[in-house]
Amino acid sequence: YLSTCQPFFPFYTLLLCPFLVCLRGIKVHRKCYLAIEEPKHYHDANEDCIAQGGTLATPRDMQENNELREYAKRSSMGAKDFWIGVTDIVKEGQYVDVNSMPVTFFNWDKSKKQPTGGKRESCVTLSLAAQGRWHDEVCRSQKKYICEYLIP
């Protein structure tokens, strides 16, 4: 997918990759999203997004969450849920994004009494089965994921 961005032109990764991502993924406002087919643990997924010039996708409001859900549904590749860039690894119950900034928008699946995992489940997925609501999961679980790239 984006590996062509990095090996030959590492200096330009942050400049070119967001535009190439939009050709493969979807552009929403000032962001591009790209679903990744290979399941990975949460941390490996985030590292992969960072290596390609982005981060795990983090919806900031219901509109972004809905756009992300619709994109995930179209490119779901059989997946029921996707890692997003929200976690409470550092302090239980205090959710932050991949830049360690507090998260102010949540879309928990209240029908499943989410979040339920306590210290065991510290990473968050967007669930297609729950219409885009969030579940906390064990970070070592293998999940597909969606990277987010900001468009300058």
Side-chain angles (χ1 to χ4, degrees):
Y1 55 100
L2 290 180
S3 58
T4 55
C5 290
Q6 208 168 23
F8 302 108
F9 306 106
F11 177 74
Y12 296 106
T13 299
L14 293 175
L15 297 174
L16 294 178
C17 283
F19 299 106
L20 296 175
V21 167
C22 287
L23 296 175
R24 305 257 320 170
I26 187 171
K27 180 179 186 276
V28 178
H29 310 294
R30 296 183 59 93
K31 295 181 179 180
C32 288
Y33 297 121
L34 183 65
I36 308 298
E37 293 187 34
E38 183 186 350
K40 293 190 178 190
H41 303 147
Y42 179 89
H43 299 292
D44 291 342
N46 191 46
E47 287 299 317
D48 184 52
C49 292
I50 289 169
Q52 303 303 333
T55 62
L56 281 172
T58 306
R60 302 294 179 184
D61 55 37
M62 188 55 84
Q63 182 179 356
E64 281 189 13
N65 197 86
N66 290 342
E67 296 276 1
L68 198 56
R69 181 193 76 215
E70 289 304 312
Y71 171 62
K73 199 186 301 183
R74 288 193 304 273
S75 53
S76 68
M77 308 158 287
K80 297 280 188 270
D81 47 31
F82 292 81
W83 289 127
I84 59 173
V86 178
T87 180
D88 72 342
I89 291 171
V90 175
K91 185 172 184 199
E92 178 59 29
Q94 188 173 340
Y95 289 88
V96 297
D97 66 15
V98 292
N99 297 312
S100 300
M101 298 301 294
V103 174
T104 56
F105 167 76
F106 297 95
N107 194 32
W108 295 116
D109 185 357
K110 297 298 183 188
S111 72
K112 302 278 190 216
K113 299 190 177 7
Q114 292 288 330
T116 60
K119 291 184 178 178
R120 190 174 167 276
E121 297 178 352
S122 296
C123 296
V124 178
T125 62
L126 182 141
S127 170
L128 295 182
Q131 291 76 47
R133 291 187 184 87
W134 300 359
H135 294 170
D136 59 342
E137 303 274 351
V138 175
C139 300
R140 299 284 300 160
S141 301
Q142 297 267 345
K143 307 269 182 207
K144 296 180 181 183
Y145 54 102
I146 300 174
C147 296
E148 168 183 298
Y149 304 84
L150 299 179
I151 301 171

